[in-house]
Amino acid sequence: MDGNGRWASSRGLARAEGHAEGARAVRDAVETATRIGIPFLTLYAFSVANWARPRGEVEALMRLLVDFAKSERMELRQNGIRVNVIGSLEDLPTVTRHAVEDLITYTKDGERMTLTLALSYGGKKDIVEAARTLAIKARAGLLLPEEIDERSLALHMTTHALPDVDLLIRTGGESRVSDFLLFESAYAELLFLPIMWPDFRPQTLVDAVEHYGQKERRFGMTSEQVAKNVQAFDPFDQPS
Ligand code: IPE
Ligand code: MG
């Protein structure tokens, strides 16, 4: 969700106003995703690198998160949306952390869509921490190093409850992944949009999903194999 700051600056507004407008776009995107039947929506709300921003901006984002959690909790629950977090929730200020934890508990029975907020998230960091956890387990004799595979690594990441990424959308005009879901988006379709995040409309998401639907995903195979429905290589399903 890139471009909040530029959206604000181009209107002579403070960056925080751009983030507030971005939160409105989030509400619309969540509602639209639910309506069109997307089972998993993951939003890159705050990266590990974002901690380096000016203190006032970090505080504004943390406050906005509290406001979002409080104002949306009822509607999220009513719409069957379960909130989940990837990254390091424990890095957040106590008030924000509590508001998000409350949101997770309050919406835990939602079965229509899983809305994941990436908070203090870094893709490399998530991979490194999973590797460290596996190494610690191996040292303790709980697993053999030879048993480490893609599945065990994936299960130790904060994304363990999520499927791999199908479609990754970045607004704001940059063609970068910026440390988002590196492991999980190995075969994702990437869509880079020139619009700023506050200008993301329900129709933008509908169009993006339609564009995605026209793509042929080959997972390393040929077009002919895909047409014949040949089973794709599944790293989790290899004879050991
Ligand atoms: C939103 O956009 C990013 C976050 C959710 C922290 P930016 O704040 O990066 O906006 P630009 O790139 O400065 O326009
Ligand atoms: Mg940016």
Side-chain angles (χ1 to χ4, degrees), residues 15-156:
R15 291 181 59 85
E17 306 243 25
H19 294 310
E21 196 61 28
R24 283 187 271 277
V26 164
R27 194 167 47 206
D28 282 356
V30 170
E31 204 180 291
T32 309
T34 316
R35 179 166 55 77
I36 64 178
I38 291 175
F40 293 91
L41 177 67
T42 303
L43 300 174
Y44 203 1
F46 197 85
S47 73
V48 263
N50 286 148
W51 290 115
R53 289 195 176 193
R55 193 180 162 151
E57 184 168 344
V58 171
E59 283 171 358
L61 283 163
M62 292 301 137
R63 267 199 305 275
L64 199 59
L65 205 52
V66 175
D67 294 347
F68 179 84
K70 290 189 172 160
S71 65
E72 302 304 310
R73 71 201 283 270
M74 195 83 92
E75 197 167 328
L76 290 169
R77 179 152 96 173
Q78 276 166 3
N79 289 334
I81 298 165
R82 186 169 69 98
V83 176
N84 172 44
V85 165
I86 56 171
S88 311
L89 191 54
E90 64 275 16
D91 291 351
L92 270 56
T94 315
V95 177
T96 316
R97 183 164 51 80
H98 284 167
V100 176
E101 281 168 352
D102 168 72
L103 188 61
I104 294 170
T105 314
Y106 191 73
T107 61
K108 69 176 178 18
D109 296 323
E111 289 185 344
R112 206 164 153 206
M113 182 173 84
T114 299
L115 170 64
T116 300
L117 305 175
L119 297 173
S120 192
Y121 175 84
K124 279 189 172 183
K125 179 172 181 246
D126 216 27
I127 296 169
V128 167
E129 289 184 350
R132 189 185 302 133
T133 305
L134 286 170
I136 290 169
K137 285 191 176 178
R139 184 179 57 190
L142 297 170
L143 68 102
L144 294 169
E146 295 78 13
E147 287 169 353
I148 296 173
D149 55 10
E150 287 185 26
R151 187 203 292 266
S152 56
L153 193 66
L155 285 175
H156 287 82

Side-chain angles (χ1 to χ4, degrees), residues 2-3 6 53:
D2 198 17
R6 280 164 286 163
R53 289 195 176 193

